[in-house]
Amino acid sequence: NATMSSSGGGGGGNSSSGDASARSSQHAPSATAAALAAAADLSEKSVSELLRLRREAHSLVSFDGMRRLWDTSLTFTHRLEKFSGRKAYGLRSTLLAQAKSFVERKHEANMSALVAALDSERWVQCNVSAERQ
């Protein structure tokens, strides 16, 4: 029993150096994970800010241009989420705001074109029978 105790003490010495290296190796992945999380967060914020700054310009692009922007940004968002292991809600929110701004601008343009077309048409009053009214 005393031999086992002494052997356990010797093993404990090796174990403590093993614990130190285990702690060191455990510390490295968490530091790496923290760095990756910080990089993902910075990427999300940077792209969101870039999209916000270009909101006006993006609302004026063609439908195909907006589709390319949407597809590219959404692909980036999916990869970022897969990489970071968390949802990029800020970036998704910015993308939706971009799409909404684009649709609103297109709607306004279409409504203006419709009003202009209706105003330019010549309307003439005509007699309509009571049956057709």
Side-chain angles (χ1 to χ4, degrees), residues 66-132:
M66 187 58 173
R67 185 171 178 199
R68 279 192 306 274
L69 175 67
W70 177 266
D71 289 344
T72 303
S73 299
L74 199 57
T75 299
F76 173 79
T77 304
H78 287 148
R79 289 179 181 171
L80 181 67
E81 290 173 343
K82 185 177 180 183
F83 173 76
S84 69
R86 61 182 179 83
K87 289 286 187 187
Y89 291 113
L91 185 52
R92 285 179 175 271
S93 174
T94 302
L95 282 173
L96 288 175
Q98 293 279 314
K100 181 180 178 189
S101 179
F102 175 79
V103 168
E104 287 173 350
R105 178 68 62 108
K106 287 297 179 193
H107 177 68
E108 288 173 11
N110 289 343
M111 290 297 289
S112 295
L114 179 61
V115 166
L118 290 174
D119 286 346
S120 68
E121 289 183 357
R122 183 165 290 215
W123 292 84
V124 179
Q125 185 173 357
C126 62
N127 294 328
V128 178
S129 66
E131 298 170 355
R132 294 191 181 238

Side-chain angles (χ1 to χ4, degrees), residues 25-48:
S25 67
Q26 287 174 352
H27 181 66
S30 81
T32 302
L36 290 175
D41 189 49
L42 181 61
S43 296
E44 178 185 350
K45 287 179 182 176
S46 297
V47 171
S48 292

